[in-house]
Structure formats: C-alpha cells, structure tokens
Amino acid sequence: FNFREFKFAQAMIFAINEINRNPEMLPNVKLGYKIYGNCGTMDILRAALALMSGLKEEFSDENCTKPETVQAILGHSGSRPTIAFARVVGRFQTPVISHFATCACLSNRKEYPTFFRTIPSDYYQSRALAKLVRHFGWTWVGALAVDNEYGFNGIAAFIQTAQEYGVCVEYSEAFSSSDPPETLQRITQIIKLSTSKVIVAFMSHREIKLLSAALYKQNVTGLQWIGSDAWITDHSLTDSEGHSILVGSLGFTVTRAEIPGLGEYLRQLHPSQFPESQFVRDFWEDVFDCSLNQTTNPQKQPCSGFESLQNVESKFTDVSELRFTNNVYKSVYAVAHALDNLIKCDEGKRAYPNMSCADVRHIQPWQVLHYLDTVNFTTGEGERVYFDENGDSPARYELVNLQITNRGNMEGKTVGIYDASLPDSHQFIMNSIPVVWGNGLAEVPVSVCSEKCLPGTHKVLQKGKPVCCYDCIPCPAGEITNLTSILCLKCPPEFWSNKRRDACIPKAVEFLAYNEILGTLLALFSLLGVFLTLITTLVFYCHRETPLVRANNSELSFLLLFSLTLCFLCSLTFIGRPSEWSCMLRHTAFGITFALCISCVLGKTIVVLMAFKATLPGSNVMKWFGPTQQRLSVLAFSLVQVLICILWLTITPPFPLMNMVLFKDTIILQCDFGTAIGYCAVLGYIGFLAVLCFIIAFLARKLPDNFNEAKFITFSMLIFCAVWVTFIPAYVSSPGKFTVAVEIFAILASSYGLLFCIFLPKCFIILFRPEQNTKKHIMGK
C-alpha cells in the first residue's frame, strides 16, 4: 500500500473541506472531487479521459448543479504519467496541476498549454545540484538517471550546467526498475571501476533502492550520493536493503511547511467516514492488520471497531516533514482562488481587462485555466504562490542530508537552502548544522580527476580525456601562475619569474660596476696607466734640457703625455651605472682625447720627417713647419673631432637604455649611441688619423739617426690599429656588460701601446744610459 499517495489524497480532501467551510472563499459554491487510484500510465490516461468525458451523476439536492466535466485535474505524482495525459487533456483546455511532476519538459507551453505545478521544475533542481557539486569542489562525478523523460531531462540539464561550472562527468548511465538484472549488474560494474567518488542520481525511490542493494551486496562503499527530490526524502528508504550506503547523501527537496489541523484530521480518519472507499479500507487493514470484510479477506482477524489512529505512529500520521503534501495543499488552494476570482469577477482580478463575467452555473475549464495564469496568493504560513509564464512555481529548495536518528531511522536534515529568485551569489547558502558525509567520512570527500595544479604549474590536457583530466607542467621561464590564475601569465618586461614560477620578481640589473672583479681590475689598470704617464711626465720634465727630450719638440711630447693621461682617465667613465650625462661624456671624451693624442703623434711624426728633409742642402722646410704650425696642426686635427662630437650631441645624443632583449632574465643597463653614424664618425676619424700617422711614420722609419723616433711611432700605430681593428668584432659579439669591458680594454691597450712604444725607450736612455743622451751621440749618423 502506497502510504504517501494516500496521504496526498487525504491532504486534498482536507484542503477542500477547509475551503468549503471558509465563508470568504467561493460563497454559495461547494467544491467536490473524484479520486482515481489506478497504477500504470495507460490506466492513468484512461482515468483522465474519463474525467474529460463528462460522467453524470444524480444529486438529491435539486438546488445544486454539478458541471458535466471537471474544472481541474490534480496530479500526477510522477512525471512520466503526467506527460502522457497532460498533452491529451491540454487539447480540452482543462488545467492540470501537479504537486510532484518535476520534468523540465513539462514547462514547454506548446506541448503542455494547460499544465501547472506547485513544485519547481527540474531545470532549477539540476542547476542547484550542479552548484552544489561546484561548491564542494567535486569536478569529477558520475551521473545516473531513471530510464524515462524525468531522468533523461534532469540529468541532461545537470550535465549541461555542470560543464558550464567546470565539472566533468566520468560516465552517464540510465536504467529503470523494470530492466533485466544484467542492466543493473553492468551499471554496478561501471561504478566499481570508476575513479569518481561522487554520483548524481536522478531517479525515483524504486531505482535507488535496487541500486543501493546491489552495491551493498558487492561491498561497494566510499561513495558520496547526490540525489534528486524524487528519492532523497522518501521514508521507505530506511526499510530497504543496503540503505546504509545512502547515509550521508545530499540532495535538494521542496521546502518544509506546516499545515495547521492536518495532523489531527489524519488521526481522526475512520472507515465510517468513507464507507464506499476501497482506498480507506485497504489502508485500515494494512495499518491494523485486520479485516473489515471477512468474505474478501478471511485469513486476517476481523477488525474490532475500536481501532484508532490517535496513538499510531506511522508515515501517514507524521506531519513533521510536510514537503510534497504541502504542494498538494497549495494545488487545491490555487484552483480555489482561480474559481473564487472567476465567480466574484472583481475588476482587478480578471484574467483579461475586458473579459466578461462567467455564468456561475456553467463554468468551463478554459475559464478556470485563464484565471489560474493570474493566481497570486499567500498561504497561512506566509508562502507566496503564483505561476510563471510556463506554469512553474518559484524555485525554492532545502538542501537535506540523510542522517541516522537516535531511533535508527534515516531522515533528511536540512543543512542549507537554495532560492533561484535571489542573485546568483546568494542563491545557495549553507547553515550551521554539521553534514554527515558518505561512508562516515569526517571531512568533505575529494572527487577530482586530477589534483589542482600548484602555483608555478599549468594544466596540460590529457589526450582523449575530459578537460578535468590534465597534467601539471611547470610554467616556462618568465611566466607564472598563482592561486588565482589558471594559465601561465607573462611577467611584466621589468620582471622575471622566480624558481618556483609562482611570483614575478624584479630582473637583475647588470652593468659594469666598480665593486665587481672585472670593473675593479679595469679601474686599477686605468689608474696604473695614469700613474705611469705621470711618472713619465716627471722624468721628461726633470730632463727637459737634455738633447733627447729637446730633439723632437718637447712641447708636443708633454701635450701627448697629457692626452694619454686623459685617455686613461676617460676609461673610468665607462665603469658604473649609466646615466644621461655619463653616456654623453664617455663617448665624446673618448673621441676627443684620442683625437688629441693621435694628433700629437701625427705632429711628432711630421716633425721627424720634416727634420730629415731640413738637413738636405738648400732645404728650408722647417720654416714652414715650425712650432707654431705644429701647434696649429694639433689644434686643427682635434677641432674636427670636437665638431663631430658637437653635431652628434646636438642631433641624437647617446642616452641610457634598459636592454631587455639580450637576456630574458636580466636587464642590461647600457648607453645607446643615439645614432650609430655619430659613433662610427668618431671612430672613423680616429682611425683616419691613426692610418695617416702610420703611413708617415712608416716612410720615415729608415732615417739615419741613432735615435729614430719614427720607428717607435710606427710600432705604436701598428699596435693601435691592430687593437681597434680587432675591437670591432669583439665589441659586436660580446654580450651585456662585456661590450663595455671590451671598449675599455681597447682604450687601455692602445693607450699603453702609445705610452710604452714612444716613451719607454727614451725613459730607459734618460735613466739608465745617460751617456747616450748627448747631441753628439744622437747626431752620430
């Protein structure tokens, strides 16, 4: 005997009696009913057609006129039978109001134009279940459905919404209680072999009982069940085999309510109230295990007549969990309010503004249908009842958790709520009641295909598997992931990823600094060059009156030593953090000092050549290249370089640059030339002077003096040219700060070459061979 359906029927009768006693509703009108209790889709369809056929009955009260057809049909509890008869009944414009048919397909107004329901559509339940799964971080689930429209539509809506939330479904299977045992065995095997620990079951209490019993026999545990409202609060689960597997299940069901007076009404039920009702007789005999008619049921003891439900504790008399029963109650009141508005015909409550009032004695179903569309009332418990454009009720659910009570029964404890009318972020709220998880786990179970990637790694999908199955691969250098990002994100240009690839850190800034070994060594060699140049200058100054110093324009020698000092010092401007001023200074100082230096050497070379020409008979060459002309030649050669540098600094001066291209993880601070033409012009002019000086010195190398300075100038220029020719490929191929080191090395090497080749032999004679520092010896040849 189905206690739940019988309770639904009695709740309907209770509501009708309550309405008939209410003088404010339906004055002078009494509601009646006819209940069909046939099972099976075809029998239910026949019952609906019988209601449509207009069965006539005789009434003793001549003042009461009964319509030939019903104004509304309440039911059915199942989606499948409702789908079958609602489409047919809809053609007769008769409203159908269900309290339990949740299939989303019934919201199709084209297919079911007269269907209403006081229970939310499975569309909302499916979305609520998907949000529940996402809330607990379950991204890898199994899906099971009953093999009918209810199951297929519900699970399809769940899968679609779950995929939107990033949840993957490992398997999706369907079966019904009427399938052969092989189907159940196949599904049981799929569950055993699966890796997901969460199963969403969109089915009725019949299928979940069969499945839990089969899994219990095979000792399959450790599963977290997510159930639909069709079974999650069904009281009969406690009596089923293997119900312990379902302890900890979570699912949404309609909100719980109280119906004042219903409990007392149910306890007062007696067969004498319904002497012709077979339903009541079957119920009474089942509850008290006795027989009301010995001829039809002789094997049971006859009922004494003193049986009463007042002291009986059963599912029928229990009104502590009125969920779907309350939907029946609201369905009756929805029809009553529609009839009340139709009969009273108030201006503000008509279905259409210009609609005429109906004949109370000949109310048609289509008139009730129009008024049902506009029904809007509030129950005694404060719940608002209305239907949207699809005939659906507002989607409000309670999240229940199946727990074992002190009495050993399995009951649903409300642990959260879901209200689809609220904003998305406030629709799902958990309360403070602790949740019992599947298999008695103390913590939220984990059901993922792949563990969440740690910061510093990113997802790479596994071939042929859903998006929830992936491998965690470290991010490439220069990219990171953190707790909020999924894909690897490139660091800003000034930053680089750390070793763990979970944070961007400032790039190392590299330049040739004084506090590193290479910078220190180059600075020391530069200062050493300055020191040796000053020593040489001191030696020359102390012996300035000697023939060797005076032999080749001592003024040019001192000017050359001064320019060499500047050459050594200018190399120091290349060391340290580049700035706007240091970038302009280092290249212009280098260009001008070297132009001055080579100009002095060129002047000395010309003096040597001219001095030899002056010794020839009848030659007065030295008159045209005396000390004044020598000074002017040095000044003129140097001024050309100064003009080049001024033009360079005016048009596109050098500037500090952060080079982020050369090294990915390092910023090279360097001086950009501004324009390569300026730098090439400076170097090219120095090279021109050096080549010119080399050619003249080479021509004068075999002059017949004991001390021929042209030889040493030739060697110095040879070294100078060799250094700067090799400098170009070395400079281009050197990375980062080493380009600066190469340039400094070239400056120091060429400066040392000039210092040693030109002045070292003279210093040696002055200091260690003073006997050779005589005019006679120098002019010996």
Side-chain angles (χ1 to χ4, degrees):
F1 189 84
N2 194 326
F3 283 88
R4 187 179 70 176
E5 295 298 327
F6 184 66
K7 189 173 183 179
F8 289 164
Q10 291 301 318
M12 184 192 74
I13 297 171
F14 169 79
I16 290 174
N17 293 338
E18 194 175 67
I19 293 167
N20 288 336
R21 290 194 302 268
N22 188 348
E24 295 182 1
M25 285 193 72
L26 298 172
N28 303 317
V29 174
K30 296 294 182 184
L31 295 181
Y33 59 87
K34 188 173 183 65
I35 299 175
Y36 286 85
N38 296 345
C39 293
T41 301
M42 292 306 298
D43 288 335
I44 293 169
L45 184 57
R46 290 191 190 98
L49 291 174
L51 290 170
M52 292 295 96
S53 64
L55 299 177
K56 295 183 179 180
E57 294 183 10
E58 295 297 329
F59 278 78
S60 59
D61 189 350
E62 295 180 357
N63 294 325
C64 182
T65 302
K66 181 185 177 185
E68 292 184 357
T69 59
V70 293
Q71 270 75 54
I73 297 176
L74 304 188
H76 181 277
S77 296
S79 292
R80 189 171 188 175
T82 305
I83 291 168
F85 78 81
R87 186 184 284 112
V88 176
V89 171
R91 298 174 182 267
F92 295 92
Q93 293 291 295
T94 302
V96 176
I97 308 176
S98 176
H99 53 278
F100 212 161
T102 57
C103 181
C105 59
L106 289 166
S107 297
N108 187 342
R109 264 303 188 236
K110 292 182 179 179
E111 292 286 331
Y112 312 98
T114 66
F115 178 77
F116 298 85
R117 52 183 157 195
T118 52
I119 188 170
S121 164
D122 278 338
Y123 169 79
Y124 300 103
Q125 183 181 191
S126 299
R127 296 188 69 84
L129 291 174
K131 285 190 176 183
L132 173 68
V133 169
R134 181 186 65 172
H135 176 78
F136 291 112
W138 298 323
T139 59
W140 190 235
V141 301
L144 297 176
V146 60
D147 191 3
N148 58 29
E149 289 85 349
Y150 166 75
F152 290 142
N153 283 278
I155 211 68
F158 166 78
I159 292 174
Q160 180 181 351
T161 308
Q163 289 174 345
E164 293 174 7
Y165 293 151
V167 178
C168 297
V169 178
E170 184 180 11
Y171 57 87
S172 179
E173 297 291 334
F175 77 102
S176 70
S177 56
S178 59
D179 286 345
E182 292 78 15
T183 304
L184 187 60
Q185 291 175 5
R186 179 180 61 83
I187 292 175
T188 305
Q189 195 65 20
I190 290 173
I191 295 173
K192 286 178 64 177
L193 298 176
S194 67
T195 57
S196 57
K197 300 300 179 184
V198 175
I199 301 177
V200 179
F202 232 98
M203 53 184 62
S204 72
H205 60 95
R206 290 182 293 273
E207 283 75 27
I208 197 66
K209 287 177 185 177
L210 290 172
L211 183 59
S212 61
L215 293 173
Y216 178 76
K217 291 176 182 177
Q218 298 195 32
N219 196 28
V220 179
T221 58
L223 298 175
Q224 177 64 49
W225 293 88
I226 307 296
S228 62
D229 56 2
W231 67 266
I232 195 67
T233 55
D234 194 287
H235 293 286
S236 64
L237 293 178
T238 304
D239 303 327
S240 64
E241 182 185 8
H243 71 275
S244 59
I245 285 180
L246 301 176
V247 173
S249 298
L250 289 169
F252 289 103
T253 188
V254 295
T255 54
R256 182 171 44 187
E258 291 185 6
I259 303 176
L262 178 62
E264 186 60 29
Y265 170 80
L266 295 177
R267 290 186 180 277
Q268 290 177 357
L269 179 67
H270 195 273
S272 60
Q273 299 171 351
F274 304 94
E276 303 299 325
S277 174
Q278 183 63 40
F279 303 143
V280 177
R281 285 197 297 270
D282 291 342
F283 164 75
W284 201 263
E285 291 177 351
D286 190 281
V287 171
F288 296 104
D289 195 23
C290 63
S291 175
L292 292 171
N293 190 337
Q294 284 295 107
T295 57
T296 58
N297 202 354
Q299 66 270 22
K300 288 187 178 182
Q301 294 290 330
C303 296
S304 64
F306 296 102
E307 292 85 5
S308 173
L309 294 173
Q310 291 292 341
N311 299 319
V312 174
E313 295 296 332
S314 69
K315 300 168 189 175
F316 177 76
T317 57
D318 183 10
V319 291
S320 62
E321 290 282 333
L322 294 179
R323 299 182 186 275
F324 306 106
T325 306
N326 185 51
N327 290 345
V328 176
Y329 185 77
K330 291 188 295 183
S331 298
V332 176
Y333 265 88
V335 176
H337 276 278
L339 286 168
D340 190 53
N341 294 337
L342 188 154
I343 292 170
K344 290 178 179 177
C345 199
D346 292 337
E347 188 70 29
K349 293 186 178 181
R350 295 182 187 178
Y352 300 106
N354 300 323
M355 191 175 184
S356 60
C357 295
D359 183 0
V360 178
R361 293 181 176 273
H362 298 91
I363 294 174
Q364 300 299 317
W366 64 267
Q367 294 173 316
V368 180
L369 175 65
H370 289 310
Y371 275 89
L372 268 173
D373 283 326
T374 59
V375 158
N376 194 330
F377 66 95
T378 304
T379 66
E381 295 296 307
E383 183 180 358
R384 188 172 163 223
V385 179
Y386 63 93
F387 302 106
D388 63 13
E389 64 275 8
N390 296 320
D392 292 328
S393 291
R396 288 188 292 267
Y397 296 102
E398 288 182 0
L399 176 64
V400 297
N401 179 221
L402 295 187
Q403 301 180 8
I404 298 296
T405 64
N406 295 331
R407 293 178 296 174
N409 297 329
M410 190 165 63
E411 290 185 1
K413 298 290 184 181
T414 302
V415 294
I417 60 171
Y418 178 85
D419 191 340
S421 64
L422 297 176
D424 188 73
S425 58
H426 297 83
Q427 289 179 348
F428 178 52
I429 302 172
M430 297 288 292
N431 60 25
S432 58
I433 298 176
V435 177
V436 174
W437 301 105
N439 203 33
L441 295 175
E443 297 180 352
V444 180
V446 177
S447 184
V448 294
C449 183
S450 300
E451 292 292 336
K452 186 178 179 181
C453 286
L454 297 174
T457 61
H458 70 289
K459 299 177 182 177
V460 175
L461 299 181
Q462 296 177 1
K463 189 175 182 180
K465 290 189 176 182
V467 294
C468 300
C469 301
Y470 49 81
D471 296 317
C472 295
I473 306 298
C475 287
E479 298 181 11
I480 66 159
T481 55
N482 50 34
L483 295 174
T484 59
S485 62
I486 299 174
L487 301 175
C488 292
L489 305 175
K490 283 190 175 182
C491 292
E494 297 85 3
F495 293 83
W496 194 250
S497 57
N498 59 3
K499 289 184 178 180
R500 295 191 300 273
R501 305 283 198 271
D502 59 357
C504 290
I505 57 176
K507 288 182 179 179
V509 178
E510 186 178 278
F511 58 89
L512 189 61
Y514 286 103
N515 57 0
E516 57 180 299
I517 295 176
L518 183 59
T520 303
L521 287 175
L522 292 173
L524 288 176
F525 275 106
S526 176
L527 295 175
L528 178 63
V530 172
F531 176 74
L532 292 177
T533 306
L534 292 176
I535 293 297
T536 304
T537 305
L538 183 62
V539 170
F540 266 56
Y541 181 78
C542 292
H543 299 83
R544 62 185 179 279
E545 299 299 330
T546 59
L548 189 60
V549 175
R550 297 179 61 189
N552 192 359
N553 196 336
S554 60
E555 190 175 307
L556 282 180
S557 297
F558 284 112
L559 187 58
L560 177 58
L561 287 170
F562 172 71
S563 65
L564 281 174
T565 303
L566 294 179
C567 287
F568 283 117
L569 288 175
C570 84
S571 64
L572 296 176
T573 63
F574 287 82
I575 305 174
R577 190 182 189 93
S579 65
E580 189 175 350
W581 285 103
S582 69
C583 286
M584 291 190 290
L585 177 63
R586 64 171 61 170
H587 291 105
T588 52
F590 156 71
I592 293 172
T593 55
F594 262 82
L596 176 62
C597 181
I598 303 302
S599 298
C600 292
V601 175
L602 182 59
K604 290 176 71 67
T605 309
I606 295 174
V607 168
V608 172
L609 189 60
M610 294 299 105
F612 175 74
K613 297 292 184 182
T615 60
L616 296 176
S619 177
N620 58 351
V621 175
M622 289 304 294
K623 182 176 69 174
W624 301 105
F625 201 73
T628 303
Q629 287 82 4
Q630 293 171 21
R631 295 190 197 101
L632 289 174
S633 67
V634 171
L635 180 62
F637 285 132
S638 301
L639 278 176
V640 174
Q641 186 74 295
V642 172
L643 288 174
I644 293 173
C645 290
I646 290 173
L647 286 172
W648 184 14
L649 294 178
T650 304
I651 300 171
T652 50
F655 59 90
L657 174 69
M658 298 174 68
N659 189 336
M660 304 180 192
V661 178
L662 190 61
F663 297 111
K664 292 181 178 180
D665 58 345
T666 306
I667 297 176
I668 304 297
L669 279 184
Q670 63 185 43
C671 288
D672 190 273
F673 296 135
T675 173
I677 297 174
Y679 188 64
C680 291
V682 168
L683 278 183
Y685 183 68
I686 294 172
F688 166 73
L689 292 179
V691 171
L692 184 62
C693 185
F694 175 76
I695 293 172
I696 295 173
F698 183 77
L699 293 175
R701 73 190 186 283
K702 293 185 178 180
L703 295 179
D705 286 349
N706 268 348
F707 189 83
N708 186 358
E709 195 173 26
K711 294 178 183 179
F712 303 111
I713 292 174
T714 303
F715 282 125
S716 66
M717 288 298 102
L718 190 62
I719 293 171
F720 186 91
C721 292
V723 167
W724 286 101
V725 168
T726 55
F727 159 78
I728 296 172
Y731 183 86
V732 172
S733 60
S734 297
K737 63 184 178 181
F738 295 105
T739 57
V740 180
V742 167
E743 195 166 359
I744 296 173
F745 177 80
I747 293 171
L748 294 178
S750 55
S751 300
Y752 274 112
L754 291 172
L755 179 65
F756 289 156
C757 289
I758 295 176
F759 293 100
L760 188 60
K762 293 181 180 181
C763 289
F764 180 78
I765 291 174
I766 291 171
L767 296 175
F768 300 106
R769 296 287 189 270
E771 67 277 5
Q772 295 181 8
N773 190 7
T774 61
K775 185 176 182 180
K776 180 180 178 181
H777 184 269
I778 292 173
M779 302 297 293
K781 292 185 179 180

